[in-house]
Amino acid sequence: MNAPEPNFHGIALRTGELARIVRVNEEIKAIVATAFRINLMALNAIFLAKRAGNAALGFGVLSNELRRFAQDLTRHMASLREMTSGSVGSVTGVVQQQRIARILAEALKLSGEGVPGAREARRRGAARLAEQQSRLRGLDLRLRAAVEETQQLVELGGVLARSAKIEAAYGGGFSAALMQVSTDFAEVIAQIKRSLEVLGKERLVKD
Amino acid sequence: MKQAHCIYQDEEHRWLAIARDATKPGYIIDTNEYVVVHGDEALLCDPGGIEIFPAVFSALSAECDPTRLAGIFASHQDPDIISSLALWLEFKPDLKCYTSWLWQSFLPHFGGHDSTFVPIPDQGTTIRLDGLELQAIPAHYLHSSGNFHLYDPKAKILFSGDVGAALLPADNNDLYVQDFSRHIRHAEGFHKRWMGSDRAKRDWCERVSRLEIDMLVPQHGAIYQGADVQRFINWFAALEVGVLRS
Ligand SMILES: [Fe+2]
Ligand SMILES: [Fe+2]
């Protein structure tokens, strides 16, 4: 009889894992690009509000807030990105370890029952895999927490965009232009919200 | 499936040849792996590629306790030589890998860490295996720029890596060279194309001619024994190497 194969269930990493991280990274890149756009839009809005003068004082204050929001968002995304780039290393480690474990299991199976050192080698491999796996799980938890925090920030952005719309109505002769700007804000923030929802659903490790 | 053949035995001192594998996929070059066993320790010469690890491991385990493996000798850095390193280390993490200093920082791409590698200086070194002294003989530029062969003065066996290699037809599974002149035809193209330096080749021929060799065991093809050893050295000395097309 052949020696039993080590049990690698519960370790759900497959070849798709790196592809998943790439997707997460792409989503983050998209949000970073959008945050940059908000930054520019906010700058524009600040100038527009200055031109409108007294008629758009409230709008000017909000534009400044939106600009600060865009900067906060960029910072959040930078730390998210750092997390995912770290996870590429961890996932690669797990994938490699799994490949090694699979080939070694095949070798031990071919060698039949009772090869000296087989049990120790299996135990060592399983322990290493479990350790890498738990590191990845920790990373996943941190990533999810960070996404949630960013979602809260974006909620605030949404409130700012809505307030900007209301302020735009009091913009006198600039009202139409200010309305256009605040509508653009709202759209971009909605887009970021959608991206964050996608991100929130991604998991680096399947349970 | 690969099998280990004992090609030398003197009490506790053995050489195993894990010779050609008729069942491996055709797109992978066929290789021979050799195990020197002495007392309680074993040294694996050119353990081969990652794809053939299961076959090599099980062939080795059938003839010798794999936990006795103390080291790996890598004649050079090629993937068919040493890409299985991570797997051997997975089985036995404290294995030492003897290889040219030139490859010390390249081989970790296949596996291992700082303490895994024992760099061999250009002039060669002595490798001790439970009291047995083996010699790493310089064979630079044949074909790799940092290249060693392994000589066992007691068994009078020279492991010659890619030198002496023959790419034999699939139906030829002889362990030993049967008819030198017919065999060498399968070695000619390989040596002309892979061996890059005529000067290095002449140096090597001179160096190994001074050794007492009963068997010259290459990493590909059949084993040269007896008079075929000197026949091979003479043939190689006269061969024009480093040519793109003959
Ligand atoms: Fe080679
Ligand atoms: Fe080779």
Side-chain angles (χ1 to χ4, degrees):
Chain A
M1 206 190 90
N2 283 324
E5 270 185 85
N7 180 13
F8 292 122
H9 305 295
I11 294 150
L13 275 195
R14 296 286 181 269
T15 39
E17 303 306 313
L18 274 175
R20 185 170 310 155
I21 291 189
V22 168
R23 275 206 306 278
V24 168
N25 259 326
E26 286 305 308
E27 211 61 62
I28 290 174
K29 263 158 69 184
I31 300 175
V32 170
T34 315
F36 185 69
R37 254 176 75 208
I38 299 188
N39 208 357
L40 289 181
M41 285 164 69
L43 269 179
N44 257 334
I46 291 167
F47 289 130
L48 188 62
K50 281 222 167 104
R51 278 221 318 260
N54 281 342
L57 278 180
F59 193 90
V61 172
L62 281 168
S63 303
N64 273 314
E65 287 300 315
L66 272 163
R67 191 163 177 237
R68 205 164 301 143
F69 159 74
Q71 286 163 346
D72 285 348
L73 186 61
T74 307
R75 253 196 310 280
H76 271 238
M77 297 325 283
S79 72
L80 273 179
R81 217 167 167 183
E82 215 169 282
M83 273 183 223
T84 51
S85 70
S87 68
V88 170
S90 308
V91 166
T92 309
V94 174
V95 170
Q96 248 172 11
Q97 185 66 36
Q98 277 180 332
R99 181 174 184 226
I100 283 176
R102 180 176 51 75
I103 301 176
L104 185 62
E106 193 188 328
L108 295 174
K109 197 172 154 191
L110 265 179
S111 310
E113 188 78 56
V115 177
R119 190 178 305 174
E120 292 81 351
R122 279 201 191 99
R123 200 185 309 126
R124 248 193 334 265
R128 190 158 28 223
L129 205 49
E131 186 200 306
Q132 280 169 331
Q133 193 77 9
S134 88
R135 197 180 313 145
L136 208 51
R137 282 221 172 83
L139 209 61
D140 204 26
L141 280 177
R142 282 211 302 284
L143 187 68
R144 262 185 270 177
V147 167
E148 266 167 39
E149 220 173 279
T150 311
Q151 276 170 329
Q152 280 165 16
L153 178 73
V154 172
E155 282 303 323
L156 174 73
V159 171
L160 288 174
R162 274 197 297 280
S163 308
K165 255 188 194 171
I166 295 165
E167 286 296 330
Y170 301 104
F174 284 88
S175 186
L178 294 173
M179 188 59 85
Q180 183 59 50
V181 169
S182 48
T183 305
D184 288 350
F185 268 137
E187 255 170 38
V188 166
I189 283 170
Q191 196 180 320
I192 294 179
K193 261 179 137 170
R194 279 196 298 274
S195 287
L196 281 172
E197 255 165 52
V198 174
L199 259 188
K201 281 184 194 134
E202 289 286 4
R203 295 282 177 274
L204 296 179
V205 267
K206 281 186 247 163
D207 295 313
Chain B
M1 187 47 81
K2 272 180 173 290
Q3 249 193 331
H5 307 268
C6 185
I7 56 169
Y8 170 87
Q9 173 141 34
D10 180 24
E11 290 174 16
E12 289 270 88
H13 182 190
R14 283 191 301 159
W15 271 76
L16 304 173
I18 299 172
R20 303 201 299 287
D21 182 2
T23 58
K24 62 131 197 62
Y27 57 85
I28 297 174
I29 190 167
D30 203 13
T31 53
N32 303 325
E33 293 73 34
Y34 298 93
V35 190
V36 193
V37 187
H38 190 257
D40 280 336
E41 289 187 342
L43 179 79
L44 177 58
C45 302
D46 287 2
I50 194 159
E51 290 301 326
I52 60 157
F53 172 81
V56 176
F57 183 88
S58 66
L60 180 145
S61 304
E63 282 296 322
C64 113
D65 175 349
T67 60
R68 283 193 193 177
L69 268 183
I72 282 174
F73 174 80
S75 64
H76 60 291
Q77 85 294 2
D78 270 347
D80 67 324
I81 301 287
I82 187 69
S83 67
S84 59
L85 180 60
L87 280 150
W88 292 100
L89 288 168
E90 180 74 6
F91 179 74
K92 199 146 187 274
D94 58 346
L95 275 181
K96 294 287 175 210
C97 177
Y98 300 88
T99 194
S100 162
W101 67 273
L102 218 54
W103 306 123
Q104 193 183 358
S105 60
F106 288 67
L107 289 197
H109 284 290
F110 285 143
H113 37 80
D114 215 21
S115 64
T116 305
F117 298 95
V118 183
I120 308 176
D122 280 340
Q123 72 275 16
T125 194
T126 300
I127 297 171
R128 286 180 183 81
L129 191 66
D130 199 12
L132 178 73
E133 291 198 344
L134 299 161
Q135 289 164 15
I137 306 277
H140 307 304
Y141 299 105
L142 299 173
H143 63 90
S144 166
S145 42
N147 204 115
F148 287 97
H149 294 166
L150 192 74
Y151 179 59
D152 180 341
K154 209 168 148 255
K156 299 190 175 65
I157 292 175
L158 177 69
F159 168 62
S160 60
D162 279 331
V163 173
L167 307 176
L168 298 171
D171 60 347
N172 181 341
N173 283 306
D174 292 329
L175 186 56
Y176 297 98
V177 172
Q178 299 298 326
D179 176 340
F180 183 82
S181 52
R182 272 177 54 192
H183 172 87
I184 209 67
R185 275 184 241 146
H186 303 292
E188 189 172 324
F190 181 86
H191 286 77
K192 277 183 170 167
R193 180 66 174 87
W194 282 91
M195 304 301 157
S197 162
D198 195 62
R199 189 171 142 192
K201 181 202 71 177
R202 275 183 278 122
D203 273 1
W204 181 86
C205 289
E206 208 181 297
R207 194 173 307 121
V208 299
S209 286
R210 290 197 295 264
L211 304 173
E212 235 186 301
I213 304 170
D214 285 348
M215 261 185 254
L216 187 140
V217 301
Q219 192 227 355
H220 310 278
I223 294 172
Y224 304 80
Q225 54 178 345
D228 282 343
V229 173
Q230 194 56 48
R231 236 174 243 138
F232 171 77
I233 296 169
N234 295 343
W235 170 87
F236 190 35
L239 187 75
E240 189 194 6
V241 298
V243 284
L244 206 49
R245 274 180 214 93
S246 45

